[in-house]
Amino acid sequence: VAAGGEDRVTRIRGIANQHVKECDRIEAMCTELGKFGVETENLADGINVHARVLSELEASEAPSVHCYDDHRVAMSFSVLACVVQSGAEIRERRCVGKTWPSWWDVLARDLGAPISGSDPAFEAHSDPVKADATSVVLIGMRGVGKTTLGRAAAVALNREFVDLDDFLERQVGQTIPEIINRDGWAAFRSHETQVLRTALTQAHATGAVIACGGGVIESAENREQLRAHVARGAAVICLTPNMEHVAEYLSRDKTRPAYAVTSDIHEVYARRLPLYAESCNYEYLVDKSLLSGDENSEGHGAWTLIERDFIRLVQFATGRELNRVDLNGPSFFVSLTAPSVREYLPAKLEALTAGAQAIELRVDLLGGSEFAGADFNDAQVAASFSAFVHKQFALLRHNSRLPIVFTVRTQLQGGAFPASADTLRLQLLRNAVQWGAEYVDVEVDAKAPAVFAKRQNSMVIASYHDTTGEKLQWDSEFAAEILARARACGDI
């Protein structure tokens, strides 16, 4: 807040790593300095701080500084508070315990700072849910069911259903086969980009369920438009298929144009898979074989359940029905510990969950012998396990209306998931949010803030497990620190 030179600006560079410390320290500095009236610029590699005369920093009330559970934020702003006439309130004071537990004593005793301690009432996190009419967008492979499920969701939400391909044909005045046959795929994709922009920002920005063509994500510009729609608070839902079913269906459907480069639909899907992933914020598995127990057959009445649970996801994603447990009274959940949800079907699950308000899916206990000893740091193994977990989640959804508590407990936390597979653990927790898990159980560690920041309409249960029984004492500073960290990265 003080600098020499004519422009009185302190420029700090070469600190890009401070964006990814205990918190984004550069962002934290900009936000909290702003409470004192200090102007800053947040840069990718540093920060600019425009100097202010101390008298200009005076305020009628002491600014309240949020420390982001970061000891360096607390220490730096406590020093600033000493020279500002109004002083400042430093919240989460216990966060200094990780490096300098006696910091406040030193500040008062050795530096003569006028300090008074307090324990402000806990401020609950604001509800992340924003229920509005922003249009829901469906993406996914051709033949996965976007039109059928989109129409069902539109009826349930009392919204208009828009098929983007039909909208395109009306706008252009030609059918898609006519466009492709006359002008080629590139011309069609160009029209698609223009029509998508019109639909998302003008004609159908709100009040609709929009089903896109399977290849809409082939264009980088389209993917950016979809991400921008998500940033506006919308749900972009990717329908994940059972590709064997889709291939068989398309082999019978001769009304659609052939793929431009290859007729191998599996190759097309493999290429598009990461593009779908970067374009959506929710994902729904469409797999009728889950309800038959046979990978290659379709369960009787499966589509009715798939429609029902898709509508449930759309209502959750739009904030219309969150299916949360009433926490005003006692509540109970049942933890599923078998290696497969199928072990509880068809009758056991209902009996086990009688009287419960939620079901915990213990992901670390799933898989059994199929994944015993597997290297979860191997990309192929990780992808295979993620797909397996997605099927288990969908199977549980199809067989119970209770909220799901999604838990991945590591071996260090008393669970079975390898502690070394942190990348996969974080991905699974993020998947849970995208799949619409009502609750995601997250250990209070370095990964927790990232999950909490991207939780959408899910609620994060912040947990801590002392498997030794020696570290956590209720009246200790350590326990207070863990509680403060849990409050910072959890709804519960």
Side-chain angles (χ1 to χ4, degrees), residues 372-420:
D375 180 8
F376 283 169
N377 290 306
D378 179 271
Q380 188 172 351
V381 173
S384 179
F385 185 72
S386 294
F388 173 79
V389 174
H390 197 181
K391 289 182 178 181
Q392 296 296 305
F393 183 91
L395 187 59
L396 184 55
R397 270 282 188 253
H398 292 326
N399 285 276
S400 176
R401 303 302 301 275
L402 290 176
I404 293 177
V405 179
F406 189 97
T407 302
V408 188
R409 193 83 68 224
T410 69
Q411 293 164 341
L412 296 178
Q413 300 157 6
F417 198 79
S420 61

Side-chain angles (χ1 to χ4, degrees), residues 338-340 363 365-372 385 388:
S340 172
V363 175
L365 302 179
L366 292 175
S369 59
E370 182 179 352
F371 292 96
F385 185 72
F388 173 79

